[in-house]
């Protein structure tokens, strides 16, 4: 028998050294799609690399699903070295991708760093694009994002939220882009610490630093 009231925990795993060059590949360190409450905590995802031209998906942690009354929690994870290494390629490289249903989502105390692409790539630390619930995103540290050959108008983004049905409560995060050295890209290059496309937003007490040309 099954129950939609079950709760699952994915914790204390080390997922590293994943690579692919397959055409239109889906590449990710951890993928979670749940119909219940899920906690994803204290995992290490490191060195996820795609060397092909056009990845269908390129992600550190892919986290979504859930149903009304459930909670999705992603906390204390380290996500690093997620890379699209193809100078002639184009892709969207995401450290933490959120695609929940109608649920409460708690994202906190995650460290995201060294997310990059060498081609015409779009780089995102935390990406929320679906759902009709509440996202509580707080006390995360995002740094060292780069796309030195990107010609995208949104080349590098610390956080990107754009689901019209969601409420985003974004508090006490630190986002540092270009703190080691100034980042740049191709003609249309643009870097944002935080991008809000849609949804209700409460953005408070964050430290957002961007040094780019």
């Amino acid at each position: 028998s099954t129950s939609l009231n079950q709760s699952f925990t994915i914790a204390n795993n080390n997922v590293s050294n994943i690579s692919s060059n397959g055409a239109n590949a889906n590449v990710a360190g951890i993928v979670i799609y749940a119909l219940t409450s899920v906690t994803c905590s204290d995992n290490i995802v490191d060195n996820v690399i795609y060397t092909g031209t056009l990845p269908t998906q390129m992600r550190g942690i892919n986290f979504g699903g859930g149903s009304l009354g459930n909670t999705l929690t992603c906390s204390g994870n380290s996500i690093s070295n997620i890379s699209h290494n193809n100078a002639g390629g184009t892709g969207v490289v995401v450290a933490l991708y959120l695609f929940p249903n109608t649920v409460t989502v708690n994202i906190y105390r995650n460290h995201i760093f060294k997310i990059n692409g060498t081609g015409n790539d779009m780089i995102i630390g935390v990406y929320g694009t679906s759902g009709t619930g509440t996202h509580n995103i707080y006390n995360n540290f995002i740094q060292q994002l780069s796309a030195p050959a990107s010609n995208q108008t949104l080349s590098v983004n610390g956080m990107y939220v754009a689901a019209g049905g969601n409420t985003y409560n974004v508090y006490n995060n630190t986002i540092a882009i270009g703190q080691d050295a100034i980042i740049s890209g191709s003609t249309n290059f643009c870097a944002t610490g935080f991008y809000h496309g849609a949804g209700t937003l409460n953005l408070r007490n964050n430290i957002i630093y961007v040094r780019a040309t």
Side-chain angles (χ1 to χ4, degrees):
S1 64
T2 62
S3 172
L4 294 183
N5 295 316
Q6 294 174 354
S7 180
F8 295 93
T9 299
I10 297 136
N12 299 306
N13 299 287
N14 190 330
V15 180
S16 60
N17 300 321
I18 297 172
S19 63
S20 174
N21 63 358
N24 303 312
N26 293 284
V27 186
I30 295 175
V31 178
I32 301 166
Y33 186 83
L35 296 177
T36 60
S37 294
V38 174
T39 297
C40 176
S41 65
D42 301 307
N43 300 287
I44 295 172
V45 177
D46 181 63
N47 203 38
V48 179
I49 297 173
Y50 180 66
T51 57
T53 305
L54 295 169
T56 301
Q57 294 181 359
M58 181 78 225
R59 292 160 187 172
I61 296 179
N62 217 9
F63 194 39
S67 57
L68 185 64
N70 288 308
T71 299
L72 302 182
T73 298
C74 185
S75 67
N77 301 288
S78 174
I79 307 171
S80 59
N81 292 302
I82 315 300
S83 303
H84 181 204
N85 293 342
N86 188 311
T90 299
V92 180
V93 182
V94 182
L96 176 55
Y97 181 78
L98 308 173
F99 61 109
N101 297 321
T102 307
V103 294
T104 297
V105 181
N106 297 315
I107 308 297
Y108 61 93
R109 207 170 44 80
N110 300 287
H111 186 195
I112 293 170
F113 59 104
K114 295 183 179 178
I115 316 299
N116 61 77
T118 60
N120 186 26
D121 295 303
M122 183 178 184
I123 308 299
I124 305 173
V126 176
Y127 193 12
T129 61
S130 67
T132 54
T134 299
H135 284 52
N136 301 309
I137 306 174
Y138 57 96
N139 292 338
N140 299 284
F141 185 20
I142 301 172
Q143 64 179 145
Q144 296 175 314
L145 280 56
S146 64
S150 179
N151 196 37
Q152 305 279 347
T153 54
L154 289 170
S155 304
V156 175
N157 309 272
M159 290 188 189
Y160 185 121
V161 296
N166 278 327
T167 295
Y168 295 102
N169 299 315
V170 184
Y171 304 148
N172 303 317
N173 300 282
T174 298
I175 301 170
I177 297 174
Q179 82 276 23
D180 296 326
I182 296 174
I183 64 168
S184 62
S186 191
T187 304
N188 294 316
F189 178 87
C190 176
T192 69
F194 185 90
Y195 179 84
H196 174 232
T200 300
L201 175 65
N202 298 306
L203 182 69
R204 301 180 185 177
N205 300 323
N206 300 281
I207 298 171
I208 301 175
Y209 174 88
V210 178
R211 188 166 60 142
T213 59

